[in-house]
Amino acid sequence: MFRRFSIYGPLLVLTLITLVPFVYLVCSAFKTRKAFFSSPFLPTSGLFEIEATTGALGLVDTTHMDGLQTKGFTLRVAVHDVRENRVIDEAQVIAAVTRDDNPDTEEVEYSLKLTDSKGQPIKGPPDVLSSSQEGVRYEIAEGNPRGFLGIAWGQLTVHHFKRLMSEQNFLRNVVNSLFIASVSSVLATLFAAMGGYALAKFRFFGRESITSAVLILLIVPGSLLFAPTYQLLYWFGMLDSFPGLIVPGLAPAFGVYLFRQAMISSLPDEMLEAGRIDGCGEFKLFFSFALPMVRPMVGTFILITFLGAWNNYIGAQIIIKSPEMLPLSVAVAQLRSEYGQDYGMLMAGTLVSIAPVMLLFLMLQREFIEGLSSGAVKG
C-alpha cells in the first residue's frame, strides 16, 4: 500500500500541477477586465462594495455590462458594532444600475441610484453607511453576487467571446480551421494507410528502396521543405488557397511507415488470400479487411494529423494571405497588438482554439491509447 502511494502520489501531484495553467486559462477567459489582474483565478469581490473611507456604496466594475439598459439589485446592508460584536441597525437599499449613452463621445457611463425600502431616493451615502463612527464595521449582508465557494459569480462574463465573434469574425476562422484540419486528417490517414498497406502486403520491384526512402524522410526537418514546397505551390497556382495547405501533407512519411508496421503486425496474409479466393478486389480488401484490422491506428493517426493541421501556424502564415481564409491559429496570434494586450479576449480565443481538439481527443481516446500500445504487445 505504501509503495503504491509513493508511486502514484507524486504522479497525481504532478498531474494537478500541470492542470493549473489550463484552469487559469479557463478562468481568465470569463473574467472582466478589472478582475483579470485582481484575482489569480476567479474573482472574490462582487459587483458592489462599500468604500472604506466614505462608506458610499459603489460599483466595482462595469466593463461586462455592455447591452445593459436598467437592472435592479436588492441589497441588505448591515452595520456591526465591532466592540460589542452585535448588529446595530439594518437598512434595505434598492440599487439600480442605469446606462447613459453619450452620442457625442460614443462613451457609455453607468450610474448607481439608491432608494430605500419605501422607494424614496437616497442622494448621498445613507446614515447606516456613514463611516464617521469608530468601532463600526459595514457589510453587505445579502444581495452581493458572491456565492458558492466565496466566488463572485456575478463578475464572470462571456463578453470576450461575444467580441471575438462580432469584432474579430472568429466564427469564420473556426470554420476554416475545422475544414482544413478535418479534410487534412481524413485524406492523410487514407493515403498513408494505402501506402503502408502497399509496402506491407505487396511484392514489387523497388519496394525496399521505397521503404528506405520513407525512413530517410522521417529524419528530414519539415522546416527545410518550406522553400521548395512554396515554389511548387507557386508553379501550380495553389498559393492563398485551402488546397495549398492540404495537398503537401496528404502522404506523410511518418504515417506511411506507421501503417506499414501496423499492417505487418495486425493483418494476416491468410485473411487477404481468403478474400482474394472469394473474389474480393484489392480496394474491397483494403476497406473491408485492412482498415478494420488497424482501427486503433486509424483513430490515433487521425488525432495526430488533426492536431498538427489545427495548430499549423507557420505553414498557414506563409501560404494564406486573405484575411477571410486565415485559420484559427493565425487569428489567435493576431489578437496580440504592439501597443497593448486585451488579455481577456486573448484567453477567450485560446480557449476556443483548444476546445475542438479536446472534444476530438475525448471521442478518440480509446483508439488513441490502443494505437499507442498495440506495438508494445506481441499478438
Side-chain angles (χ1 to χ4, degrees), residues 156-360:
L156 302 182
T157 177
V158 294
H159 178 58
H160 305 304
F161 296 94
K162 293 180 180 179
R163 290 184 57 199
L164 282 176
M165 300 306 170
S166 60
E167 300 177 11
Q168 304 295 330
N169 198 17
F170 232 56
L171 185 59
R172 180 64 180 269
N173 302 125
V174 173
V175 173
N176 292 341
S177 289
L178 284 175
F179 173 77
I180 295 171
S182 301
V183 175
S184 298
S185 60
V186 172
L187 293 182
T189 302
L190 177 62
F191 289 126
M194 287 182 174
Y197 174 72
L199 292 177
K201 298 302 177 181
F202 287 99
R203 303 292 185 269
F204 56 90
F205 176 76
R207 187 184 70 161
E208 299 300 329
S209 300
I210 296 177
T211 304
S212 300
V214 171
L215 289 174
I216 293 174
L217 289 175
L218 288 177
I219 64 175
V220 177
S223 57
L224 294 180
L225 303 178
F226 281 145
T229 301
Y230 184 88
Q231 190 172 15
L232 288 175
L233 293 177
Y234 173 75
W235 287 344
F236 287 104
M238 299 174 64
L239 292 177
D240 197 20
S241 64
F242 291 144
L245 279 177
I246 297 173
V247 172
L250 285 184
F254 172 74
V256 173
Y257 185 76
L258 199 67
F259 277 101
R260 174 185 178 273
Q261 297 302 111
M263 296 290 181
I264 291 175
S265 61
S266 302
L267 184 61
D269 294 335
E270 293 79 7
M271 182 179 293
L272 298 178
E273 293 297 332
R276 292 189 180 99
I277 292 174
D278 290 339
C280 290
E282 294 301 330
F283 280 100
K284 188 174 182 180
L285 283 175
F286 175 74
F287 287 103
S288 300
F289 292 92
L291 281 185
M293 293 297 293
V294 293
R295 189 189 66 178
M297 189 60 66
V298 171
T300 302
F301 194 71
I302 284 180
L303 182 60
I304 293 174
T305 52
F306 186 93
L307 183 61
W310 184 269
N311 294 328
N312 184 11
Y313 171 75
I314 299 179
Q317 187 85 326
I318 294 174
I319 297 172
I320 301 297
K321 301 300 179 184
S322 301
E324 66 275 5
M325 298 178 63
L326 291 176
L328 198 57
S329 57
V330 181
V332 171
Q334 291 183 350
L335 291 176
R336 302 180 62 183
S337 173
E338 297 179 358
Y339 306 102
Q341 304 292 340
D342 192 338
Y343 291 102
M345 194 161 62
L346 184 60
M347 293 295 181
T350 306
L351 184 60
V352 170
S353 66
I354 65 177
V357 179
M358 293 181 57
L359 180 62
L360 183 64

Side-chain angles (χ1 to χ4, degrees), residues 296-297 300 366-375:
M297 189 60 66
T300 302
R366 180 178 178 181
E367 284 76 10
F368 182 74
I369 296 174
E370 290 182 1
L372 291 180
S373 59
S374 60

Side-chain angles (χ1 to χ4, degrees), residues 122-173:
I122 302 175
K123 298 181 180 180
D127 295 337
V128 294
L129 295 180
S130 175
S131 60
S132 58
Q133 302 178 17
E134 296 181 358
V136 177
R137 179 171 56 88
Y138 309 97
E139 178 184 0
I140 300 178
E142 297 178 6
N144 200 35
R146 176 189 296 184
F148 182 63
L149 298 178
I151 302 299
W153 302 105
Q155 280 280 59
L156 302 182
T157 177
V158 294
H159 178 58
H160 305 304
F161 296 94
K162 293 180 180 179
R163 290 184 57 199
L164 282 176
M165 300 306 170
S166 60
E167 300 177 11
Q168 304 295 330
N169 198 17
F170 232 56
L171 185 59
R172 180 64 180 269
N173 302 125

